[in-house]
Amino acid sequence: AQSVAQPEDQVNVAEGNPLTVKCTYSVSGNPYLFWYVQYPNRGLQFLLKYITGDNLVKGSYGFEAEFNKSQTSFHLKKPSALVSDSALYFCAVRDPQYSSASKIIFGSGTRLSIRP
Amino acid sequence: GAVVSQHPSWVICKSGTSVKIECRSLDFQATTMFWYRQFPKQSLMLMATSNEGSKATYEQGVEKDKFLINHASLTLSTLTVTSAHPEDSSFYICSATKGQSNTEAFFGQGTRLTVV
C-alpha cells in the first residue's frame, strides 16, 4: 500500500531564509509525487509534481522539490521564504501501476510559518 | 487551466436532514473524481473514488449508505450526506483528474458542513 509521511507538524523560518518541508513516501513501484498548498478554509492548490526525468522539479511561486529515490524522499524547498508562503503544505503520492483511478494519498501536512 | 468548482462553500443543516454537495469540472472532462474529508488541523482523508458511469469505490470505514456519491457525467459528481448528524460536521473537498495517473488532481474550494 502506498503511504506518505511528513515528519514535521510545523516549520518556522525567517523571511528571506531558505526553507525545506520534508516528505518521504512508500509505494510498490515508481511513484508519482505531488506537493499542494492549502490556505485557511480553502481547497488545495497544486505546486509541483514529479513523474519522471530530472530529479529536481520546479513549480509555482518559486518552490522546487527534489526526488531522491534511494532515500524515498521528495522534500519541498524554496531559496528565500516570503511571509505570504505561510500556509499548510501537503505532500501526496499516486501509485502509477494502477489505472487512472488510482488513489492520491496525502501526508499529514506541515504548517509553514514565515516570520517577518 | 483546470478549474474545479464545489458548491456550496458552506452549509448549515439540521440533524436528520440530507445535504448534497456538488463538484464540477468547469473546463475539462473528469473521468475520476475523489471525495475527501478534512478535520481541523488534520490531513485529507480519502472517502471514495468516483468514476463516471460506475459505482464509487469507498475507502474502508466509510459508510456507503450515508455518503452517497453519484458521478453521472464527466463534469459532475455529487456527494450526499444522508441523515446528517453533528459528527458529520467537517470540511469536505472534492478533486478531479483528467484521466491519466501521471496528472495532478485539481481541487474544489471545499464545503464547510455544520450539522446542528
Side-chain angles (χ1 to χ4, degrees):
Chain A
Q2 63 208 66
S3 65
V4 179
Q6 292 179 246
E8 304 156 314
D9 290 337
Q10 176 133 2
V11 170
N12 300 309
V13 176
E15 187 175 29
N17 284 0
L19 68 87
T20 299
V21 183
K22 296 180 180 178
C23 171
T24 58
Y25 66 89
S26 175
V27 296
S28 55
N30 294 317
Y32 293 156
L33 296 159
F34 308 87
W35 274 102
Y36 289 85
V37 59
Q38 184 181 34
Y39 296 98
N41 294 311
R42 301 296 301 273
L44 276 65
Q45 295 179 29
F46 169 74
L47 283 179
L48 50 81
K49 66 179 178 181
Y50 172 81
I51 302 301
T52 187
D54 194 349
N55 289 343
L56 184 65
V57 293
K58 295 186 182 296
S60 307
Y61 314 120
F63 283 94
E64 57 188 31
E66 186 169 12
F67 171 64
N68 188 317
K69 188 172 183 178
S70 63
Q71 297 185 3
T72 62
S73 67
F74 189 57
H75 301 331
L76 181 69
K77 300 180 180 182
K78 187 172 182 179
S80 179
L82 299 172
V83 173
S84 57
D85 292 331
S86 299
L88 189 56
Y89 290 79
F90 290 100
C91 183
V93 65
R94 199 173 190 185
D95 193 330
Q97 71 172 317
Y98 298 107
S99 69
S100 60
S102 62
K103 298 183 287 189
I104 301 173
I105 301 300
F106 287 84
S108 53
T110 298
R111 186 162 301 281
L112 179 63
S113 178
I114 310 299
R115 59 183 184 275
Chain B
V3 179
V4 175
S5 176
Q6 193 172 335
H7 179 81
S9 298
W10 60 270
V11 58
I12 301 173
C13 71
K14 291 184 177 181
S15 192
T17 62
S18 295
V19 175
K20 180 184 285 187
I21 302 170
E22 293 187 348
C23 181
R24 293 180 184 272
S25 56
L26 298 185
D27 52 1
F28 67 100
Q29 293 185 329
T31 54
T32 304
M33 289 185 170
F34 303 90
W35 286 95
Y36 295 87
R37 184 173 179 177
Q38 186 179 32
F39 293 100
K41 300 184 180 181
Q42 294 190 27
S43 185
L44 281 72
M45 181 192 77
L46 180 65
M47 298 174 67
T49 301
S50 169
N51 291 302
E52 184 266 337
S54 62
K55 291 184 178 180
T57 302
Y58 289 82
E59 294 300 300
Q60 191 172 8
V62 178
E63 299 177 59
K64 301 179 183 180
D65 295 333
K66 181 163 189 63
F67 298 100
L68 300 179
I69 292 173
N70 184 279
H71 194 161
S73 76
L74 285 172
T75 59
L76 174 64
S77 176
T78 60
L79 167 67
T80 301
V81 183
T82 63
S83 187
H85 288 95
E87 56 265 32
D88 298 326
S89 299
S90 191
F91 194 55
Y92 293 88
I93 306 176
C94 74
S95 72
T97 60
K98 293 183 177 180
Q100 294 178 321
S101 60
N102 63 353
T103 59
E104 61 271 30
F106 302 95
F107 286 79
Q109 67 268 43
T111 298
R112 171 75 58 194
L113 170 63
T114 302
V115 184
V116 297

